[in-house]
Each structure stands twice: as C-alpha cells, then as structure tokens.
Amino acid sequence: MRDNGLCFLPDNPLNTLQFPHDTPPAFGTTLEIAPDVFWVRMPLPLALNHINLYLLRDTDGWYVLDTGMRSDDIQTYWQQIFAKDLDGLPVKGVIVTHMHPDHVGQAGWICDKFRVPLYMTRAEFYSARVMVG
C-alpha cells in the first residue's frame, strides 16, 4: 500500500494520536490545552460515558463551546466551573456545533443564566427544537 495521505498505514507516525496532557480534566474542572482554550469533560449516561466540551477565552469574556446533556448534575458542574475558573470574566455566548442532546442540552440554561446569545446554525437549531418537542 502506498501512503498517499488517503490510506492508513500502522507504522506511519502521522497516524499516532498525541494528547497534550496525560490525564483528562475531572468533571466540573477545566484544563488549558492551548492558549485560551480550555477542555471540559461532562458525564454521559450512555456507553460513551463522557463528552468533551470547551471554554474559549476572549479578551473580555468567555464562550462556551457545546454544553453537555440537560441534567441537574451537569448544571452543578457548570456552576462550579463558572464560580472558580472564569477569572472574573463573564460568559459572552454559547456556541453549539450541532443538535445532539449532549451538545445542546444545557444551552438554554446557560444562555438564560448569563443573558447571552446562542450561536448555532438555523437548521441545527430547528432540528433541536423538533427533538425537544
């Protein structure tokens, strides 16, 4: 097999995942993985037991990138993060990548709590609304 960038070769060093940290963040905590990019993990009640979410620091506040499923436990984890990890800066917006419940589940609560906009494509927003309804 040729390595033309389209096929997988086990001994190709480009096929090796490298993580910036040996240990992921605990639920309710953050871990900076690049300048102003913070990794957040939240639990899932599924075979896949967690979701990776992110906080993006801007000069005057934060953006939440995906939100986790809707549950009291996840709200409690977010409240811990908001209380200790935002350096006194406000949340400025919520960005949702797509309509799956583990990505959009807390969006309404976070947007209401901080009175901030939701950034999401119209099609994904309406798909989420249909799922909830």
Side-chain angles (χ1 to χ4, degrees), residues 98-121:
H98 61 284
M99 56 66 114
H100 288 165
D102 54 332
H103 293 261
V104 72
Q106 295 290 338
W109 174 75
I110 295 171
C111 288
D112 286 347
K113 178 176 179 59
F114 293 99
R115 310 297 300 154
V116 297
L118 171 65
Y119 299 100
M120 183 178 188
T121 69

PDB file of all heavy atoms in Angstrom, residues 98-121:
ATOM      1  N   HIS A  98     -23.714  21.223  16.937  1.00  0.00           N
ATOM      2  CA  HIS A  98     -24.816  20.517  16.293  1.00  0.00           C
ATOM      3  C   HIS A  98     -25.857  20.128  17.334  1.00  0.00           C
ATOM      4  O   HIS A  98     -25.660  20.314  18.520  1.00  0.00           O
ATOM      5  CB  HIS A  98     -24.326  19.304  15.496  1.00  0.00           C
ATOM      6  CG  HIS A  98     -23.627  18.270  16.310  1.00  0.00           C
ATOM      7  ND1 HIS A  98     -22.336  18.415  16.770  1.00  0.00           N
ATOM      8  CD2 HIS A  98     -24.039  17.057  16.742  1.00  0.00           C
ATOM      9  CE1 HIS A  98     -21.982  17.342  17.442  1.00  0.00           C
ATOM     10  NE2 HIS A  98     -22.999  16.508  17.452  1.00  0.00           N
ATOM     11  N   MET A  99     -26.964  19.576  16.856  1.00  0.00           N
ATOM     12  CA  MET A  99     -28.163  19.441  17.676  1.00  0.00           C
ATOM     13  C   MET A  99     -28.231  18.226  18.593  1.00  0.00           C
ATOM     14  O   MET A  99     -29.228  18.037  19.257  1.00  0.00           O
ATOM     15  CB  MET A  99     -29.394  19.459  16.779  1.00  0.00           C
ATOM     16  CG  MET A  99     -29.394  18.404  15.675  1.00  0.00           C
ATOM     17  SD  MET A  99     -29.471  16.731  16.188  1.00  0.00           S
ATOM     18  CE  MET A  99     -31.030  16.254  15.580  1.00  0.00           C
ATOM     19  N   HIS A 100     -27.209  17.424  18.696  1.00  0.00           N
ATOM     20  CA  HIS A 100     -27.291  16.269  19.590  1.00  0.00           C
ATOM     21  C   HIS A 100     -27.490  16.739  21.029  1.00  0.00           C
ATOM     22  O   HIS A 100     -26.917  17.749  21.447  1.00  0.00           O
ATOM     23  CB  HIS A 100     -26.024  15.426  19.496  1.00  0.00           C
ATOM     24  CG  HIS A 100     -25.917  14.669  18.216  1.00  0.00           C
ATOM     25  ND1 HIS A 100     -24.741  14.098  17.802  1.00  0.00           N
ATOM     26  CD2 HIS A 100     -26.834  14.380  17.252  1.00  0.00           C
ATOM     27  CE1 HIS A 100     -24.936  13.488  16.654  1.00  0.00           C
ATOM     28  NE2 HIS A 100     -26.192  13.648  16.290  1.00  0.00           N
ATOM     29  N   PRO A 101     -28.297  16.006  21.807  1.00  0.00           N
ATOM     30  CA  PRO A 101     -28.609  16.435  23.177  1.00  0.00           C
ATOM     31  C   PRO A 101     -27.386  16.646  24.059  1.00  0.00           C
ATOM     32  O   PRO A 101     -27.422  17.484  24.962  1.00  0.00           O
ATOM     33  CB  PRO A 101     -29.473  15.294  23.724  1.00  0.00           C
ATOM     34  CG  PRO A 101     -30.008  14.604  22.528  1.00  0.00           C
ATOM     35  CD  PRO A 101     -29.007  14.778  21.433  1.00  0.00           C
ATOM     36  N   ASP A 102     -26.310  15.914  23.824  1.00  0.00           N
ATOM     37  CA  ASP A 102     -25.117  16.093  24.651  1.00  0.00           C
ATOM     38  C   ASP A 102     -24.335  17.347  24.264  1.00  0.00           C
ATOM     39  O   ASP A 102     -23.446  17.778  24.994  1.00  0.00           O
ATOM     40  CB  ASP A 102     -24.222  14.855  24.620  1.00  0.00           C
ATOM     41  CG  ASP A 102     -23.840  14.407  23.222  1.00  0.00           C
ATOM     42  OD1 ASP A 102     -24.618  14.654  22.280  1.00  0.00           O
ATOM     43  OD2 ASP A 102     -22.769  13.802  23.063  1.00  0.00           O
ATOM     44  N   HIS A 103     -24.673  17.965  23.151  1.00  0.00           N
ATOM     45  CA  HIS A 103     -24.017  19.204  22.731  1.00  0.00           C
ATOM     46  C   HIS A 103     -24.877  20.432  23.030  1.00  0.00           C
ATOM     47  O   HIS A 103     -24.348  21.495  23.316  1.00  0.00           O
ATOM     48  CB  HIS A 103     -23.690  19.147  21.235  1.00  0.00           C
ATOM     49  CG  HIS A 103     -22.651  18.135  20.909  1.00  0.00           C
ATOM     50  ND1 HIS A 103     -21.331  18.467  20.725  1.00  0.00           N
ATOM     51  CD2 HIS A 103     -22.731  16.789  20.777  1.00  0.00           C
ATOM     52  CE1 HIS A 103     -20.643  17.362  20.476  1.00  0.00           C
ATOM     53  NE2 HIS A 103     -21.464  16.336  20.509  1.00  0.00           N
ATOM     54  N   VAL A 104     -26.188  20.283  22.976  1.00  0.00           N
ATOM     55  CA  VAL A 104     -27.087  21.430  23.107  1.00  0.00           C
ATOM     56  C   VAL A 104     -27.908  21.433  24.404  1.00  0.00           C
ATOM     57  O   VAL A 104     -28.546  22.421  24.730  1.00  0.00           O
ATOM     58  CB  VAL A 104     -28.025  21.508  21.872  1.00  0.00           C
ATOM     59  CG1 VAL A 104     -29.070  20.410  21.890  1.00  0.00           C
ATOM     60  CG2 VAL A 104     -28.661  22.869  21.731  1.00  0.00           C
ATOM     61  N   GLY A 105     -27.833  20.362  25.182  1.00  0.00           N
ATOM     62  CA  GLY A 105     -28.741  20.181  26.321  1.00  0.00           C
ATOM     63  C   GLY A 105     -28.770  21.292  27.352  1.00  0.00           C
ATOM     64  O   GLY A 105     -29.824  21.601  27.907  1.00  0.00           O
ATOM     65  N   GLN A 106     -27.644  21.927  27.651  1.00  0.00           N
ATOM     66  CA  GLN A 106     -27.592  22.996  28.650  1.00  0.00           C
ATOM     67  C   GLN A 106     -27.571  24.389  28.026  1.00  0.00           C
ATOM     68  O   GLN A 106     -27.440  25.388  28.743  1.00  0.00           O
ATOM     69  CB  GLN A 106     -26.343  22.831  29.528  1.00  0.00           C
ATOM     70  CG  GLN A 106     -26.332  21.585  30.375  1.00  0.00           C
ATOM     71  CD  GLN A 106     -27.355  21.622  31.495  1.00  0.00           C
ATOM     72  OE1 GLN A 106     -27.813  22.678  31.925  1.00  0.00           O
ATOM     73  NE2 GLN A 106     -27.730  20.466  31.971  1.00  0.00           N
ATOM     74  N   ALA A 107     -27.709  24.477  26.714  1.00  0.00           N
ATOM     75  CA  ALA A 107     -27.579  25.774  26.039  1.00  0.00           C
ATOM     76  C   ALA A 107     -28.603  26.790  26.531  1.00  0.00           C
ATOM     77  O   ALA A 107     -28.261  27.941  26.814  1.00  0.00           O
ATOM     78  CB  ALA A 107     -27.682  25.599  24.522  1.00  0.00           C
ATOM     79  N   GLY A 108     -29.847  26.384  26.626  1.00  0.00           N
ATOM     80  CA  GLY A 108     -30.884  27.315  27.082  1.00  0.00           C
ATOM     81  C   GLY A 108     -30.620  27.814  28.484  1.00  0.00           C
ATOM     82  O   GLY A 108     -30.743  29.013  28.769  1.00  0.00           O
ATOM     83  N   TRP A 109     -30.239  26.912  29.372  1.00  0.00           N
ATOM     84  CA  TRP A 109     -29.958  27.302  30.759  1.00  0.00           C
ATOM     85  C   TRP A 109     -28.784  28.276  30.833  1.00  0.00           C
ATOM     86  O   TRP A 109     -28.852  29.289  31.535  1.00  0.00           O
ATOM     87  CB  TRP A 109     -29.688  26.040  31.584  1.00  0.00           C
ATOM     88  CG  TRP A 109     -29.256  26.335  32.981  1.00  0.00           C
ATOM     89  CD1 TRP A 109     -30.046  26.769  34.013  1.00  0.00           C
ATOM     90  CD2 TRP A 109     -27.924  26.254  33.494  1.00  0.00           C
ATOM     91  NE1 TRP A 109     -29.278  26.956  35.148  1.00  0.00           N
ATOM     92  CE2 TRP A 109     -27.973  26.643  34.849  1.00  0.00           C
ATOM     93  CE3 TRP A 109     -26.701  25.890  32.956  1.00  0.00           C
ATOM     94  CZ2 TRP A 109     -26.851  26.676  35.661  1.00  0.00           C
ATOM     95  CZ3 TRP A 109     -25.583  25.916  33.764  1.00  0.00           C
ATOM     96  CH2 TRP A 109     -25.665  26.302  35.101  1.00  0.00           C
ATOM     97  N   ILE A 110     -27.688  27.977  30.124  1.00  0.00           N
ATOM     98  CA  ILE A 110     -26.518  28.864  30.163  1.00  0.00           C
ATOM     99  C   ILE A 110     -26.842  30.213  29.537  1.00  0.00           C
ATOM    100  O   ILE A 110     -26.493  31.267  30.086  1.00  0.00           O
ATOM    101  CB  ILE A 110     -25.294  28.205  29.490  1.00  0.00           C
ATOM    102  CG1 ILE A 110     -24.859  26.968  30.279  1.00  0.00           C
ATOM    103  CG2 ILE A 110     -24.140  29.198  29.379  1.00  0.00           C
ATOM    104  CD1 ILE A 110     -23.799  26.128  29.578  1.00  0.00           C
ATOM    105  N   CYS A 111     -27.537  30.211  28.399  1.00  0.00           N
ATOM    106  CA  CYS A 111     -27.910  31.481  27.754  1.00  0.00           C
ATOM    107  C   CYS A 111     -28.805  32.314  28.670  1.00  0.00           C
ATOM    108  O   CYS A 111     -28.620  33.530  28.784  1.00  0.00           O
ATOM    109  CB  CYS A 111     -28.605  31.221  26.418  1.00  0.00           C
ATOM    110  SG  CYS A 111     -27.503  30.635  25.110  1.00  0.00           S
ATOM    111  N   ASP A 112     -29.774  31.673  29.327  1.00  0.00           N
ATOM    112  CA  ASP A 112     -30.649  32.402  30.257  1.00  0.00           C
ATOM    113  C   ASP A 112     -29.878  32.900  31.472  1.00  0.00           C
ATOM    114  O   ASP A 112     -30.066  34.043  31.906  1.00  0.00           O
ATOM    115  CB  ASP A 112     -31.800  31.510  30.730  1.00  0.00           C
ATOM    116  CG  ASP A 112     -32.860  31.288  29.671  1.00  0.00           C
ATOM    117  OD1 ASP A 112     -32.857  32.014  28.649  1.00  0.00           O
ATOM    118  OD2 ASP A 112     -33.682  30.375  29.853  1.00  0.00           O
ATOM    119  N   LYS A 113     -29.017  32.073  32.018  1.00  0.00           N
ATOM    120  CA  LYS A 113     -28.266  32.442  33.218  1.00  0.00           C
ATOM    121  C   LYS A 113     -27.415  33.688  32.987  1.00  0.00           C
ATOM    122  O   LYS A 113     -27.346  34.570  33.840  1.00  0.00           O
ATOM    123  CB  LYS A 113     -27.373  31.266  33.647  1.00  0.00           C
ATOM    124  CG  LYS A 113     -26.493  31.534  34.853  1.00  0.00           C
ATOM    125  CD  LYS A 113     -25.726  30.286  35.258  1.00  0.00           C
ATOM    126  CE  LYS A 113     -24.817  30.503  36.439  1.00  0.00           C
ATOM    127  NZ  LYS A 113     -25.477  30.942  37.651  1.00  0.00           N
ATOM    128  N   PHE A 114     -26.769  33.770  31.832  1.00  0.00           N
ATOM    129  CA  PHE A 114     -25.863  34.881  31.557  1.00  0.00           C
ATOM    130  C   PHE A 114     -26.447  35.921  30.599  1.00  0.00           C
ATOM    131  O   PHE A 114     -25.774  36.906  30.299  1.00  0.00           O
ATOM    132  CB  PHE A 114     -24.529  34.345  31.009  1.00  0.00           C
ATOM    133  CG  PHE A 114     -23.752  33.567  32.024  1.00  0.00           C
ATOM    134  CD1 PHE A 114     -23.785  32.185  32.023  1.00  0.00           C
ATOM    135  CD2 PHE A 114     -23.019  34.215  33.008  1.00  0.00           C
ATOM    136  CE1 PHE A 114     -23.081  31.454  32.964  1.00  0.00           C
ATOM    137  CE2 PHE A 114     -22.313  33.503  33.954  1.00  0.00           C
ATOM    138  CZ  PHE A 114     -22.343  32.114  33.938  1.00  0.00           C
ATOM    139  N   ARG A 115     -27.684  35.678  30.127  1.00  0.00           N
ATOM    140  CA  ARG A 115     -28.333  36.611  29.188  1.00  0.00           C
ATOM    141  C   ARG A 115     -27.431  36.852  27.974  1.00  0.00           C
ATOM    142  O   ARG A 115     -27.102  37.982  27.630  1.00  0.00           O
ATOM    143  CB  ARG A 115     -28.688  37.932  29.872  1.00  0.00           C
ATOM    144  CG  ARG A 115     -29.450  37.803  31.179  1.00  0.00           C
ATOM    145  CD  ARG A 115     -30.809  37.167  31.093  1.00  0.00           C
ATOM    146  NE  ARG A 115     -31.680  37.930  30.213  1.00  0.00           N
ATOM    147  CZ  ARG A 115     -32.698  37.403  29.559  1.00  0.00           C
ATOM    148  NH1 ARG A 115     -32.980  36.135  29.665  1.00  0.00           N
ATOM    149  NH2 ARG A 115     -33.437  38.147  28.780  1.00  0.00           N
ATOM    150  N   VAL A 116     -27.017  35.753  27.335  1.00  0.00           N
ATOM    151  CA  VAL A 116     -26.098  35.810  26.198  1.00  0.00           C
ATOM    152  C   VAL A 116     -26.716  35.102  24.994  1.00  0.00           C
ATOM    153  O   VAL A 116     -27.624  34.288  25.134  1.00  0.00           O
ATOM    154  CB  VAL A 116     -24.735  35.167  26.537  1.00  0.00           C
ATOM    155  CG1 VAL A 116     -24.043  35.944  27.652  1.00  0.00           C
ATOM    156  CG2 VAL A 116     -24.869  33.692  26.905  1.00  0.00           C
ATOM    157  N   PRO A 117     -26.191  35.393  23.809  1.00  0.00           N
ATOM    158  CA  PRO A 117     -26.731  34.764  22.603  1.00  0.00           C
ATOM    159  C   PRO A 117     -26.262  33.318  22.428  1.00  0.00           C
ATOM    160  O   PRO A 117     -25.217  32.918  22.941  1.00  0.00           O
ATOM    161  CB  PRO A 117     -26.191  35.636  21.468  1.00  0.00           C
ATOM    162  CG  PRO A 117     -24.992  36.305  22.018  1.00  0.00           C
ATOM    163  CD  PRO A 117     -25.214  36.442  23.499  1.00  0.00           C
ATOM    164  N   LEU A 118     -27.064  32.587  21.666  1.00  0.00           N
ATOM    165  CA  LEU A 118     -26.735  31.237  21.234  1.00  0.00           C
ATOM    166  C   LEU A 118     -26.299  31.320  19.781  1.00  0.00           C
ATOM    167  O   LEU A 118     -26.999  31.896  18.943  1.00  0.00           O
ATOM    168  CB  LEU A 118     -27.967  30.337  21.347  1.00  0.00           C
ATOM    169  CG  LEU A 118     -27.867  28.943  20.731  1.00  0.00           C
ATOM    170  CD1 LEU A 118     -26.824  28.105  21.453  1.00  0.00           C
ATOM    171  CD2 LEU A 118     -29.229  28.263  20.754  1.00  0.00           C
ATOM    172  N   TYR A 119     -25.134  30.762  19.484  1.00  0.00           N
ATOM    173  CA  TYR A 119     -24.627  30.708  18.118  1.00  0.00           C
ATOM    174  C   TYR A 119     -24.729  29.264  17.641  1.00  0.00           C
ATOM    175  O   TYR A 119     -24.062  28.379  18.176  1.00  0.00           O
ATOM    176  CB  TYR A 119     -23.179  31.192  18.048  1.00  0.00           C
ATOM    177  CG  TYR A 119     -23.032  32.620  18.500  1.00  0.00           C
ATOM    178  CD1 TYR A 119     -22.587  32.917  19.787  1.00  0.00           C
ATOM    179  CD2 TYR A 119     -23.352  33.677  17.651  1.00  0.00           C
ATOM    180  CE1 TYR A 119     -22.454  34.225  20.213  1.00  0.00           C
ATOM    181  CE2 TYR A 119     -23.218  34.992  18.068  1.00  0.00           C
ATOM    182  CZ  TYR A 119     -22.776  35.257  19.346  1.00  0.00           C
ATOM    183  OH  TYR A 119     -22.646  36.555  19.772  1.00  0.00           O
ATOM    184  N   MET A 120     -25.589  29.064  16.627  1.00  0.00           N
ATOM    185  CA  MET A 120     -25.878  27.729  16.128  1.00  0.00           C
ATOM    186  C   MET A 120     -26.534  27.900  14.764  1.00  0.00           C
ATOM    187  O   MET A 120     -27.270  28.864  14.565  1.00  0.00           O
ATOM    188  CB  MET A 120     -26.838  27.054  17.113  1.00  0.00           C
ATOM    189  CG  MET A 120     -27.226  25.665  16.845  1.00  0.00           C
ATOM    190  SD  MET A 120     -28.312  25.112  18.216  1.00  0.00           S
ATOM    191  CE  MET A 120     -28.442  23.405  17.798  1.00  0.00           C
ATOM    192  N   THR A 121     -26.288  27.002  13.843  1.00  0.00           N
ATOM    193  CA  THR A 121     -26.942  27.167  12.542  1.00  0.00           C
ATOM    194  C   THR A 121     -28.455  27.046  12.704  1.00  0.00           C
ATOM    195  O   THR A 121     -28.950  26.365  13.610  1.00  0.00           O
ATOM    196  CB  THR A 121     -26.467  26.126  11.511  1.00  0.00           C
ATOM    197  OG1 THR A 121     -26.940  24.840  11.898  1.00  0.00           O
ATOM    198  CG2 THR A 121     -24.951  26.137  11.354  1.00  0.00           C
TER     199      THR A 121
END
